[in-house]
Amino acid sequence: MGGAMEQQRFGGDWTLIKLGILGEYLRAFTTALKNQPFRLVYIDAFAGTGRCKVNTSSGEREVDGSARIALRVNPPFDQFVFIEE
Ligand SMILES: C[S@@+](CC[C@H](N)C(=O)[O-])C[C@H]1O[C@@H](n2cnc3c(N)ncnc32)[C@H](O)[C@@H]1O
């Protein structure tokens, strides 16, 4: 994921909406499957650095990207695969 806290700059208001939906979806996903007899693996094919600066209509905001959102989801995933060019 690049440097330890390397920042990226991308997106806009829609990015915050997307990341919010992602967090809610992942929580619903791991909750629904938490008692199933298999391991949950999160695969992010465009993972980024896990931290990004977003130019929103109300100014620049620094937020967690999809990788960090996935890492803190509760119930947690069992394994993570982060792919980044
Ligand atoms: C919008 S950014 C990060 C998105 C991240 N999933 C998030 O929501 O925080 C998209 C990322 O995809 C990476 N990327 C673009 N093409 C790629 C490729 N072919 N393979 C892997 N990563 C790629 C870019 O370097 C960039 O970090």
Side-chain angles (χ1 to χ4, degrees):
M1 293 198 338
M5 279 297 286
E6 192 174 317
Q7 296 273 334
Q8 289 183 303
R9 195 174 253 106
F10 61 81
D13 290 329
W14 63 91
T15 304
L16 301 183
I17 295 168
K18 176 198 83 170
L19 292 172
I21 291 170
L22 176 70
E24 286 175 29
Y25 176 79
L26 293 181
R27 184 169 50 82
F29 184 83
T30 58
T31 299
L33 298 177
K34 69 181 176 188
N35 293 324
Q36 295 302 313
F38 44 76
R39 291 162 50 75
L40 295 182
V41 182
Y42 174 86
I43 302 173
D44 194 334
F46 298 84
T49 64
R51 193 77 185 151
C52 54
K53 288 184 176 173
V54 182
N55 286 318
T56 74
S57 52
S58 54
E60 189 173 72
R61 284 197 44 200
E62 221 177 280
V63 297
D64 282 348
S66 59
R68 283 182 188 278
I69 290 170
L71 283 167
R72 68 165 188 257
V73 75
N74 192 28
F77 283 91
D78 297 299
Q79 187 180 344
F80 298 87
V81 178
F82 296 116
I83 301 162
E84 170 54 48
E85 70 176 359

